[in-house]
Amino acid sequence: MAVEFIPIDRDTPLLLPPRIQAYLPERHLARFVVEIVEQLDVSALVDAYRGTGSQPYPPAMLVTLLFYGYATGLYSCSDLQTSDSSMAWYFS
């Protein structure tokens, strides 16, 4: 049975600014981490999901958050969410 992940759309329109990508500069670390993780093969992580419980987030997004946190010295979700780089949290 294929698992259906929560869709992540970084081009989702918002009220202000019009897209979430407008919050971060072009050369922001979060953008770099997203590009790196997009090149990784995370198929083993996807295959490990059983499909039970609520709809999960895509494994690539969670790996992106993990990499970004470690790159910035933030190791817990609450530290990332409350940091000055909270928009990077949503972008990842």
Side-chain angles (χ1 to χ4, degrees), residues 31-61:
R31 292 179 185 273
F32 175 71
V33 173
V34 167
E35 288 178 25
I36 295 300
V37 173
E38 285 176 346
Q39 296 176 32
L40 297 177
D41 178 15
V42 294
S43 60
L45 295 173
V46 171
D47 294 341
Y49 280 86
R50 296 183 194 162
T52 58
S54 60
Q55 191 176 15
Y57 286 100
M61 188 204 82

Side-chain angles (χ1 to χ4, degrees), residues 18-91:
R19 295 182 324 146
I20 197 164
Q21 294 199 18
Y23 280 107
L24 295 176
E26 273 304 308
R27 297 180 56 83
H28 195 278
L29 176 63
R31 292 179 185 273
F32 175 71
V33 173
V34 167
E35 288 178 25
I36 295 300
V37 173
E38 285 176 346
Q39 296 176 32
L40 297 177
D41 178 15
V42 294
S43 60
L45 295 173
V46 171
D47 294 341
Y49 280 86
R50 296 183 194 162
T52 58
S54 60
Q55 191 176 15
Y57 286 100
M61 188 204 82
L62 300 175
V63 169
T64 301
L65 290 174
L66 180 69
F67 284 6
Y68 181 80
Y70 274 74
T72 58
L74 302 170
Y75 304 106
S76 74
C77 294
S78 59
D79 287 346
L80 266 171
Q81 194 170 11
T82 58
S83 73
D84 291 339
S85 59
S86 61
M87 276 320 300
W89 166 269
Y90 295 111
F91 180 79

Side-chain angles (χ1 to χ4, degrees), residues 5-16:
F5 294 104
I6 295 172
I8 302 299
D9 183 8
R10 293 183 180 92
D11 293 319
T12 301
L14 298 174
L15 293 176
L16 295 172

